[in-house]
Amino acid sequence: MRTTLELPDPLFKHLKARAALEGSSLRDLVVRLVERGLQAPEVAQPAPAALPSISLGSPMLLVAGKLSNASLSALLDE
């Protein structure tokens, strides 16, 4: 089957040079590398690290009608 791949120029040059060094065609080299990649065992991705959590005690009681920058600042200063 034919397909078209757009490869970055440096990668294409690297593949072309490697194929020449190995005495094979670019097609054979790419097929071999793709097959090897598909047969390789999948590498398990490490679980994301848990983020630290801090308990700050009970929540602050805030009354909706009394919220202002000054009152919030006073609560934070306590």
Side-chain angles (χ1 to χ4, degrees), residues 13-26 29:
K13 289 176 183 177
H14 182 85
L15 288 168
K16 190 112 171 145
R18 182 168 169 179
L21 287 173
E22 294 179 7
S24 67
S25 68
L26 181 61
L29 174 65

Side-chain angles (χ1 to χ4, degrees), residues 2-3 54 57 67:
R2 287 186 172 267
T3 190
I54 301 170
L67 293 180

Side-chain angles (χ1 to χ4, degrees), residues 8-52:
D9 288 339
L11 176 59
F12 178 76
K13 289 176 183 177
H14 182 85
L15 288 168
K16 190 112 171 145
R18 182 168 169 179
L21 287 173
E22 294 179 7
S24 67
S25 68
L26 181 61
R27 177 200 177 279
D28 290 342
L29 174 65
V30 170
V31 167
R32 205 166 53 247
L33 291 173
V34 169
E35 286 175 343
R36 186 187 317 163
L38 290 173
Q39 292 170 358
E42 288 190 30
V43 177
Q45 296 294 325
L51 297 175

